[in-house]
Amino acid sequence: MDHVDLNLIEVLDALLAENSVTRAAERLHTSPPAVSRALARLRRAFGDPLLVRAGRELVPTPRALELRGEVHAVAARTRALFAPSAVADPRTAVRMFDLQVTDMLSTTFLPSLIDDLRVRAPGISLRLRPENTEDTPALREGLVDLEIGIIRTGDPEIRSATLLTETLIGAVRPEHPLAGAKTVTARRFAAADHIAVSRRGRTHGPIDDRLASLGLSRRVVAVVPTFASALFMARETDVVCVAPAGLGRRMLDALGLRAFPVPLELPSLTIGMAWHPRNHHDRTHQFLRARTRHLMTAAAAPAIS
C-alpha cells in the first residue's frame, strides 16, 4: 500500500459513475487533465485499463465493473470518516464533564449553567471536582475537563481565556459599625477585624500591601480557603471580608450582608477558564465553553453596567 494514494479512490468512484473524464472532473471540482493523470495512475495500480474508449464515450472493463460497488462503498465510508460527527451535536450528546469551579461560582454561576444545559443540551451532566486538584496537573491528566475561576496555570500547553474582570468590595453584616457608614475610610477599614481568603493559608496579600503603603495595617482574625466561608462568617460575627462585586452579589443578598467600596486601589480579579488542547476542537466542549462565557458575562452584567 505504500505506493497507493487513497485520493485515487474518490477519482475512480467518479469515473465509474460518470464514464467520462470531463464529467468526473466537474464532479470533483478539478480539471480534466488532472483526472486523466489520476486515471493513468489507477491503470498502473490495478494493471487494467479500467475505462476504454468506445466511440465518444468511455466504457468500463469487466475488472472495473467488479470494482464499482466496492469502490463506491469505500469512497462513501472515507467521506463519512472525515465528516463532522453527529455524535458531537451537543443537543443529542450524552456526556459527563468534570469541572473545577471556584467556590463563589459554584453557588452563583453554576445553577445558571445547569439550567441552561437542561434546556439546550439535556444529555450533558456536570461533576464538580474539589479545588485541591488545583496544585496538580488535573487538566493534563484528564481529571478535569474545564477549570473556571482564577486561573493560575503555569503549564504553557494549557489553553485559557478570560471571561471577565471583577473588582473587590467589602462585606459586613448589618450590625457591623461599618454597615451604616456613609464613607468607609482606609483608616476605619484597617481598624476593623478581617477574615482573609487564601487557599494556601496566607495572611498577607495585596490588601496588606496597600495598607502598608499608607502606614496602616489590619488584624486578620481568621484565614479561610474560600469566599463562601468568609461570607458566612461575616454574617455571624463583626468581621470584614471581601468578595467579587458582580459574581458575589447574589450571595451577599442571600446572606443579608451590606457591601461597601474598598477604600484602596486593589488589583482587579480576573475570572477565566482553562482546558487541555485535547478538548480544544471537541464540538461539545466548545459548546460548553461558549455557554460558560455567555452566562458568566450575563451574571456580571448588572454590576458592570
Side-chain angles (χ1 to χ4, degrees):
M1 291 294 293
D2 292 343
H3 66 286
V4 176
D5 182 354
L6 292 181
N7 289 314
L8 296 176
I9 299 296
E10 190 75 15
V11 177
L12 182 56
D13 183 46
L15 284 167
L16 295 178
E18 301 292 346
N19 290 332
S20 165
V21 169
T22 301
R23 290 196 298 270
E26 292 174 353
R27 178 171 170 169
L28 297 170
H29 304 289
T30 187
S31 66
V35 174
S36 294
R37 290 192 295 270
L39 178 56
R41 294 176 62 192
L42 285 163
R43 286 166 170 164
R44 291 193 297 271
F46 283 99
D48 187 272
L50 298 176
L51 291 163
V52 296
R53 187 163 297 282
R56 308 181 91 182
E57 295 289 326
L58 293 176
V59 295
T61 65
R63 175 67 170 140
L65 291 176
E66 291 176 3
L67 294 169
R68 177 180 285 167
E70 184 63 23
V71 166
H72 181 71
V74 171
R77 288 198 296 268
T78 302
R79 287 191 292 270
L81 181 65
F82 289 97
S85 172
V87 178
D89 185 346
R91 294 169 298 181
T92 58
V94 178
R95 185 93 169 263
M96 172 74 77
F97 282 106
D98 290 293
L99 269 57
Q100 182 175 294
V101 183
T102 300
D103 76 296
M104 179 67 70
L105 301 180
S106 297
T107 55
T108 57
F109 158 72
L110 205 58
S112 299
L113 180 60
I114 292 173
D115 285 343
D116 185 79
L117 294 177
R118 288 174 61 197
V119 174
R120 296 175 181 272
I124 294 179
S125 302
L126 305 177
R127 178 168 53 199
L128 265 65
R129 293 292 188 177
E131 287 189 79
N132 59 15
T133 60
E134 183 182 78
D135 294 326
T136 67
L139 290 170
R140 176 189 289 179
E141 294 178 3
L143 300 175
V144 171
D145 296 305
L146 186 66
E147 180 184 348
I148 308 171
I150 303 171
I151 306 301
R152 296 192 180 93
T153 178
D155 194 334
E157 76 182 25
I158 297 301
R159 302 289 187 97
S160 63
T162 297
L163 295 171
L164 54 89
T165 301
E166 283 270 41
T167 57
L168 291 173
I169 55 173
V172 294
R173 65 178 181 170
E175 299 82 5
H176 194 283
L178 296 183
K182 292 183 178 180
T183 302
V184 177
T185 64
R187 188 170 295 278
R188 291 194 66 186
F189 179 77
D193 289 340
H194 288 252
I195 293 282
V197 178
S198 172
R199 283 187 287 272
R200 295 177 174 83
R202 295 169 180 166
T203 59
H204 192 95
I207 290 177
D208 303 281
D209 292 335
R210 298 301 185 275
L211 288 173
S213 68
L214 299 174
L216 301 171
S217 63
R218 63 173 178 163
R219 179 171 179 255
V220 175
V221 297
V223 181
V224 295
T226 66
F227 282 111
S229 299
L231 292 174
F232 273 97
M233 288 187 179
R235 186 183 67 171
E236 301 298 330
T237 186
D238 283 341
V239 293
V240 174
C241 69
V242 296
L247 297 173
R249 176 58 61 181
R250 186 181 300 177
M251 183 174 284
L252 265 64
D253 292 342
L255 295 176
L257 298 175
R258 303 290 176 82
F260 61 88
V262 176
L264 303 169
E265 293 185 5
L266 296 178
S268 57
L269 196 66
T270 300
I271 306 296
M273 58 182 172
W275 62 96
H276 193 272
R278 72 167 68 88
N279 291 317
H280 186 68
H281 296 289
D282 181 89
R283 290 177 62 197
T284 309
H285 198 281
Q286 289 175 340
F287 171 82
L288 177 63
R289 300 197 306 265
R291 298 313 301 165
T292 295
R293 179 182 293 280
H294 174 79
L295 294 170
M296 189 76 74
T297 302
I304 295 173
S305 59

